[in-house]
Amino acid sequence: MIDLHYSATPNGQKIAIMLEEIGADYRVIPYDIFEGDQLSAEFGRINPNHKLPAIVDHAPAEGDEAVTVFESGAILQYLAEKAGRFLPRSVGARAATLSWLTWQVAGLGPMGGQASHFLRYAPQGQDYAIERYTKEVNRLLTVLERRLRTSPYVAGEDYTIADMAIWPGRASAFVMGMGLDDWPAMHDWFERIRRRPAVERAMERADHKAPAKYVGRHQTLNEREWSNMFGDANHAAVKGD
Ligand SMILES: N[C@@H](CCC(=O)N[C@@H](CS)C(=O)NCC(=O)O)C(=O)O
């Protein structure tokens, strides 16, 4: 049994997809990040960075101790190694998979996150930041589009954890007003993955409770929600206050 500590965002969806793809026995433990569920001392013992997702594997491949993993890229790699699937063994394909996985978690993910922050949550008047981050996301998506014109999946011939890491970001592209119609290869790849039964199950099982504030364009948070997400309460959690 694997516990998936989850909030209904692209980072969480990546892991729900992988758990469905490998047929894992798992339960979803939902967190409302606006209410500050992620800031508890108890969750800090699972992820000292107090961010979702994280997993606790109660039946790891070796040993009796439960294994805890945080950071979505590390979780995908851990599950792929445990299941022996979706992370190719051959040196070249493995390197390509880890390259594209890292491209997502260190590039597209954080840049998309910043674009989303300035578009959706920041006070008005952030034109410079909005332009900086949306332009960079646009550049990264151009890289992806060009890759998918010559390769059925991001790492090559096979569907891997790199595709699972990138696919859920479609919601952010939508929030930024980037329709997939402008990106034909990405659109085709997106649709092929969307129709996978495991992806449909993951979206159905893990995503249907997403509150509107997770997906809408411009959000107005109340003082408490702001503090939990970006302010004093968020910072206090890592100081143990
Ligand atoms: N690099 C992390 C990012 C995790 C992350 O930013 N999670 C967000 C939800 S997508 C979160 O927990 N936000 C709540 C907060 O910042 O307090 C990963 O890939 O897992």
Side-chain angles (χ1 to χ4, degrees), residues 160-234:
T160 68
I161 51 174
D163 297 287
M164 294 182 218
I166 299 167
W167 187 85
R170 86 233 176 271
S172 314
F174 169 74
V175 165
M176 283 172 243
M178 296 173 183
L180 281 178
D181 291 347
D182 298 338
W183 314 88
M186 223 190 306
H187 185 251
D188 174 68
W189 166 87
F190 173 77
E191 285 300 319
R192 272 183 285 129
I193 295 176
R194 187 176 64 80
R195 289 194 295 266
R196 292 180 66 87
V199 173
E200 286 176 356
R201 283 197 305 274
M203 292 299 103
E204 172 60 28
R205 178 166 176 185
D207 205 37
H208 66 286
K209 293 194 195 86
K213 62 191 166 192
Y214 283 69
V215 286
R217 181 82 193 246
H218 194 78
Q219 306 299 311
T220 310
L221 303 187
N222 65 36
E223 227 173 277
R224 187 173 41 80
E225 290 170 332
W226 181 274
S227 183
N228 287 333
M229 286 291 282
F230 312 117
D232 290 346
N234 191 283

Side-chain angles (χ1 to χ4, degrees), residues 12-121:
Q13 291 163 3
K14 299 170 189 177
I15 311 305
I17 290 170
M18 179 60 171
L19 289 164
E20 288 291 341
E21 291 284 6
I22 61 176
D25 181 16
Y26 71 101
R27 65 176 174 151
V28 177
I29 303 173
Y31 285 64
D32 186 333
I33 52 180
F34 294 92
E35 289 303 318
D37 295 349
Q38 76 282 21
L39 306 176
S40 74
E42 190 188 353
F43 182 59
R45 286 189 281 280
I46 294 170
N47 183 355
N49 195 35
H50 289 270
K51 306 251 179 209
L52 283 307
I55 62 165
V56 180
D57 183 357
H58 295 281
E62 53 180 67
D64 300 330
E65 294 268 305
V67 169
T68 295
V69 195
F70 58 90
E71 285 294 323
S72 60
I75 299 170
L76 288 171
Q77 193 171 339
Y78 172 86
L79 293 171
E81 280 166 353
K82 183 177 182 192
R85 297 180 66 196
F86 302 114
L87 177 57
R89 288 209 183 87
S90 69
V91 172
R94 190 181 181 88
T97 304
L98 294 176
S99 297
W100 283 103
L101 176 66
T102 305
W103 175 87
Q104 196 285 329
V105 295
L108 184 62
M111 289 298 148
Q114 293 306 319
S116 165
H117 176 83
F118 286 107
L119 277 164
R120 302 169 73 200
Y121 299 110

